[in-house]
Each structure stands twice: as structure tokens, then as C-alpha cells.
Amino acid sequence: MHRALLLIVIPLLSYGFWLSEEFKGIAAGVSIFLFGMLSLEQGFKAFTGGVLERILQKTTNTSWKSFGFGFLSATLMQSSGLVSVITVSFLSAGLLDLVAGIGIIFGSNLGTTTGAWLIAGLGLKVNIATYAMPLLVFGVLCVFQRGKQLKGIGYILTGLGFLLLGIHYMKDSFEHFESTINLANYSMSGIKGLLVYTAVGIIATIIMQSSHATLLLTITAVSVHQITYNNALALVIGANIGTTVTAIIASLGANIQGKRLAGSHLLINLCTGIIVLIFIKQFGLVVDVISENLGITVSDSAMKLAIFHSLFNAAGIIIFFPLINQQVLLLKRIFIEKRPTIFKPKYLDLSAMDFPETVVESVRLESVHLYENALHIILRTFGLDEHDLQQNDSLKQLIENNSHAIEYDIDASYEERVKGLYSAIIAFISQAGFSWQMTQSAKLSWLREANKHLVEAIKDTKHLQKNWTRFRISSNQATTNEYNKIAYQIALHIKNIENFRHEIESNELPLLSLDALKASIKNDDLQMNRAIETLIRERKITPETGSSLINDSAYMRNIKKNLLRAAETLFLYGNNDNTGVEHQLTLNEAKINDVIHPVDTR
């Protein structure tokens, strides 16, 4: 699509350059303006190493807070498109829910109107090129510094400078453009004019990937009477609808939640645009009344367009903001989540790569997904499932009642449920282009080790399965009892870990600490070995059977240790609300290496 547009746009621009010198100035102004927006985006991305993500998580727990975040971020960044891309990334990573995402979209829609006020109120009334020059000088000076944050400030300053310079070039060129072509001669009235210019606004915004650029062109053109005020209103409506394409493009590689958010953005702006087109006369009257009360003259079409732009987005908020929950239900019906193939990644979204904290959370959530699949395999090996863990004191009874031989293909389940996820997580971590001194890189190392522990637990389960399947239906009751005890201890350990997990996620104080769980592994192993020695001594089992039990007891210990190590990273150090993360990150280098590459005490 982009290549097709490029093949169309290049000949048209070339013809325009040949036709008019002023057209060159307008095109250069748009280019400089867009480059300024790219610089602004680059600058703000320098501050996304955790700060933006933490602010977002703390300020989006209600619809109104989400709205405020969207408004403030779009106002500062002057790019609702960037806010949309960030929101889609965070939503796909599971850092936001859909309600919060829609609230941010509402806020960013209103926040982006500040750009129109800046252009109409300042850009067209003063020589803003004089302000652009110092910004560019200081900006470039900061860009060449080594510090990441200084570079970010430099990109922001140069971005603002290029924005102002682009407005200046466009204003100056439009003032002389009438001598070549008077666009006002192509004005259209009535419904036809509304529909045609709305379509032009949509197309222009899609091509430039910026509603700000379309608004700048429109406001500048109407200020020098190159287009009529009514046609300019339609262009503004088209720009607001066309800006949703940025979010739609960002959602193409996102999960179902990201696609729902892009659908919401389109639904809100499209429906608002249709409503405003139907009641365009009434909106025009309201603009006139507001302009009169603000002391804006009737002939100041640029300021009236800024008012209309704000009124357009305010109308969308008034009509649709109270219906957020209904929108969520509708979007879930439109974008139906197919029952996912269990081995497909759910949270690894490449659009999150620009945001280190989001990458970490994406990997953590995917690791939790793998952890749940690993538990499924281990429990099914012993004839249990996740629902059995909810039973109070019947785990032992459930295991003993499974008197028949349990045939479970661990290899097939590993290929189905784990291998694809594990490979995807490792590949995703390897693509994260962070400096290895960054906090997020240490977290990713721990998560990679957690996944390794889960895979090791499954492999130990496979080694254990052969003897467990054979001996648990042995004619020797003592042997059967010991192997049932092995299954029971693993299942009880998983149940305790799950209880610990739910207490941590509910911000409750865990009833059973990790230290207690670690101690129980060692204690259970000692008791198991003593029991086996007693059975051999009392000749209730043969020495050969005893040696098999000792080996399988070691597998049991390793399974429990690996599961606990993984859970410690995923649910304690990986919990964003847990101060243990910050404490753990302040350990000295030797301790960090010990965490990343733990000593094998098996």
C-alpha cells in the first residue's frame, strides 16, 4: 500500500514543483513539519525506559484517569498517532485493559486539538521562524551529547523547531500561491462539497500519516482564503477520521486486544464524523456563538476552525465516553477471539520493542503462559488437572483412586504446548536491543532462566514417568504407596506455589513463604530417603526397587526446585507492585550473576 501511494505521490509532487515555486515552499513546509513530528516522537521515546510505563500503569486505573493521561500525553507529544501506537503496544502486552485504552484514545483526541490552537493562534499571527532558530540550535547541540536523556531533550527541541519552521514556510508560500492557482475556484457547496472534502481530508491524512499536517495545511490555506471556510470544516472532519489509520496499522501486528482498540478508535471518530456532518449547520452556529464570546472576529476563519476541531472531539467524548463498557461488549462481538492454539504466543508483540518495561512485562506474561502449560503437563502425567488443585484435602485420594495405568505422551504435549512458546520467548528476548547495563536486561535474563527451569521440570517429569507408570500399579503395595507419595508431594507443592501466586497477585501477605517452601523440599527429600531405607531394611521392597525409588525421588526434588525457582522470578520479582524487585536489582554484581546463573545444588 505504501509503495503504491509512493508511486502516485512522487509524479504528482514533481508536476507541482514544475508548476509553481510556491508549491515547492508548501511541500517543503509539510515535509519539515512532519520531520519535526518524527523528531518529537524520537525524543519522547528516549524517556520510555520505564518512566512512561510506570506513569501509565499508575494513572489508568479509572476511565477518567486514562482520559487525563491521553490528553496530557497528546498535548505534550503533539501526536495522537504516537499515543495510539504506545497504547496498542501496552494493551497487547497486558499492561492495560480495553476500557483504559479507550479512555486514553478519548483523551488523546482532545489533546491533539491543542495543535490547531497553536497553529491558528500563534503560528499565523507572529513570525514564528524567529523562535524556531534558537530551538534548532540548542536542540542539535543536545543531540550530539552522549547522554540518552540529553539526546532525548535535543530531539524534542529540534522537533519543536522544525514544527514552527514548517508552519512558517507553509504560511509564507500559501500567501503567494494565489498568483499561480487559486484553490478557492475549486470550492464545492452543499452536501457534495462536504462529502468530497471530507474524503480529501481522509486521503491526505492517510498519505501524510498525520492529522496535524492536514490541519496545518487546512488552517494555513483558509487563513489566506485559498479554500472556503465550509470546505475547510469538511477537511477537519476528514483529518479526524483519517488519523485512525495510524492506530489500525499499529494493530496489524498486535493481538486481539490491540485490534479491538484500533476498532474503537475508528468507531469513535467515524461515528462522530457522521454525526457532525449531519448536524454541520448546528455545529457552525455553536462555533459562531463561542467565537463571539471569545472575541474572535467573524473573518478569523483560522481560529474558528480551531474551535470547530475542539468542538468535534468534545462532541465525540460527550456522546461516546459514557458508553465505554457498551463499546467493549460490541468490540468483543465484532473482533471475536478465536480459541487460541495453546502453543501460540499470546503477549509477544513486536510493537512493544521501543518500550523496555513493556518488553519485560510481555515476556513475563508469556512466561506465565508457559508456566501454566508446564503445570498442565506435569499434573496430567499423574492423572490430575488444574481443577483438582482446588480440592481441599483430596489430592492424595484422587491419586490413589487412579488405579488404572495412565498413558500420557509428554513428548507430544511438550511439542504442542511448550516448545513453540519457549522458542518464541528466547527469540523475542534476543531481539530486545537494550544495553546490558539496563535494569530491564537483568530482568529479561532472570525471565530466560525461569523459562529454562520450567523446561527442566518437564524433562525431569519425563524421566520420572517411566517408573511411576510401571510401579504405581505394582502388586507390591509398599512400592505403589511410595510412588503415589511422589505424585502427591509434587501436586501439593504445585498447589502451594499457586496459593502463593494468588496471594502475591492479590497484594496479600503469603501464608506460606518461599523460604518455607524451599525448606519443605529439603525436608521431604530427607523423609522420602529414610522411608525407602526403612522399607529395604524391613524387606518390604527389593534393593533394585529401592534404587529406582531413590532416583525418582531425586527427580521429584528437582521438579519441585525448578518450579519454585521459576515461580520466584515470575510472581515475586516479576510483580510490578512488589518492592522486592527494586531491592533485588540493587544487589552487587556477584549476587546478580548468582541469580542469573544459579549454582546447581542438586
Side-chain angles (χ1 to χ4, degrees), residues 150-290:
L150 268 178
K151 281 182 178 289
I153 292 170
Y155 280 116
I156 291 172
L157 292 176
T158 53
L160 290 171
F162 281 126
L163 286 179
L164 298 180
L165 196 62
I167 293 171
H168 169 76
Y169 269 104
M170 291 181 65
K171 174 177 174 286
D172 187 60
S173 299
F174 260 120
E175 286 177 348
H176 300 92
F177 193 53
E178 189 175 358
S179 60
T180 304
I181 297 176
N182 188 357
L183 296 177
N185 294 332
Y186 299 93
S187 64
M188 297 181 185
S189 58
I191 296 175
K192 181 182 178 182
L194 281 174
L195 295 177
V196 169
Y197 274 84
T198 298
V200 171
I202 293 171
I203 294 168
T205 304
I206 291 173
I207 291 172
M208 292 185 284
Q209 286 290 290
S210 170
S211 60
H212 267 56
T214 305
L215 286 170
L216 174 60
L217 276 168
T218 303
I219 291 173
T220 309
V222 80
S223 68
V224 294
H225 310 293
Q226 274 286 312
I227 58 174
T228 65
Y229 174 66
N230 288 333
N231 289 161
L233 293 179
L235 284 170
V236 170
I237 295 171
N240 277 275
I241 297 172
T243 193
T244 62
V245 174
T246 303
I248 291 170
I249 292 172
S251 73
L252 293 178
N255 62 15
I256 191 69
Q257 288 289 77
K259 290 177 172 61
R260 285 171 179 166
L261 183 67
S264 173
H265 196 188
L266 177 61
L267 183 68
I268 292 166
N269 286 29
L270 181 60
C271 290
T272 305
I274 292 170
I275 292 169
V276 173
L277 282 171
I278 294 171
F279 297 100
I280 190 68
K281 289 184 179 180
Q282 289 78 3
F283 273 85
L285 291 173
V286 174
V287 169
D288 291 338
V289 171
I290 294 173

Side-chain angles (χ1 to χ4, degrees), residues 521 525 552-562 602:
I521 295 173
D525 185 55
D552 292 332
S553 174
Y555 287 132
M556 175 191 72
R557 183 188 68 230
N558 292 341
I559 292 167
K560 291 161 74 173
K561 286 174 66 175
N562 279 313
R602 292 178 291 178

